[in-house]
Amino acid sequence: MRTNTARLLTTDAAEVIDAPVLGLQRTALPLFSGLAVDTSMYANALLAPNVGLRWAMAAGPHRIVLGARYTHFVGASVYSDVVTSEADTPALQRFEPELSGPSFYGVYGLALGAVLVQGEARYGHYTSDYLSFTGALAFNFAGPWSVVGEAGVRVKGGTTLRAAAGIRYGGEHFGLGLGATYVDMSDPALPGESLPVLPVLDVSWSFR
């Protein structure tokens, strides 16, 4: 399957980026020998400028991906003002999330005809570290259309269970991803508030 951005829903897709791509989840420029530099436009828009370096290799049905990214969060004061103004408790006078730091990931995938099976390990070193493992399955059911399912756990730093499901279109140039992810998000700074399911959207264009 081709996703156009080498992304599934919430995980990195086990595929090589072989053309420049402009997308929401990933904008990337391939260099040489499977290397590519990339950024997440989503994160940039959420005041977290980031840049990454990614290497991928395809050998028969096997796919291997290694990547790293550095994020510098510049929106602490903006998020703090929003959260403290909406909070019901007067005890919350200050809320400044710290999301700057590096992250690293590795993916192994196996392409079996119309099916891609893969596993991803991801580690981030921010104010509080996190480590997650996620398995994914993508089934190319018609032309450029695929259904995607993901499930995993965060074994360090916050939420334990993660899952996602959706559909992707990976044409010659245009790419589209739609789905939903379960994140079981609850913040102690917002008593009683929870948002367990979030939408997933990706739009991209590959310059082939």
Side-chain angles (χ1 to χ4, degrees):
M1 64 170 291
R2 173 188 290 172
T3 69
N4 279 5
T5 59
R7 292 283 297 171
L8 291 180
L9 293 175
T10 67
T11 60
D12 214 78
E15 65 180 81
V16 178
I17 297 176
D18 58 3
V21 58
L22 177 64
L24 294 180
Q25 288 196 21
R26 167 176 278 134
T27 293
L29 178 66
L31 301 176
F32 54 87
S33 303
L35 280 173
V37 292
D38 67 346
T39 186
S40 167
M41 299 301 287
Y42 266 145
N44 292 335
L46 293 173
L47 304 180
N50 64 98
V51 63
L53 184 65
R54 182 184 190 272
W55 173 80
M57 179 188 73
H62 305 282
R63 308 284 188 267
I64 298 174
V65 180
L66 297 173
R69 179 179 304 278
Y70 186 81
T71 300
H72 183 67
F73 186 57
V74 298
S77 60
V78 175
Y79 283 80
S80 176
D81 291 343
V82 172
V83 171
T84 54
S85 65
E86 296 292 331
D88 295 329
T89 171
L92 184 62
Q93 300 295 326
R94 185 177 180 183
F95 173 72
E96 293 188 3
E98 293 290 342
L99 301 175
S100 296
S103 61
F104 309 89
Y105 59 91
V107 183
Y108 171 74
L110 191 61
L112 303 171
V115 177
L116 173 66
V117 181
Q118 68 173 51
E120 178 193 89
R122 186 174 294 265
Y123 170 76
H125 180 67
Y126 304 118
T127 301
S128 60
D129 295 356
Y130 78 87
L131 175 64
S132 65
F133 298 96
T134 308
L137 186 148
F139 173 59
N140 186 201
F141 65 91
W145 292 95
S146 301
V147 291
V148 180
E150 299 175 349
V153 293
R154 180 173 287 185
V155 297
K156 181 180 181 181
T159 302
T160 55
L161 175 65
R162 300 185 67 186
I167 189 168
R168 286 206 71 108
Y169 173 88
E172 184 66 21
H173 298 288
F174 179 70
L176 173 68
L178 294 171
T181 178
Y182 173 78
V183 292
D184 191 23
M185 182 188 299
S186 40
D187 196 312
L190 300 172
E193 296 291 330
S194 64
L195 186 64
V197 178
L198 294 174
V200 177
L201 169 66
D202 190 23
V203 178
S204 64
W205 185 265
S206 294
F207 297 89
R208 299 184 184 278

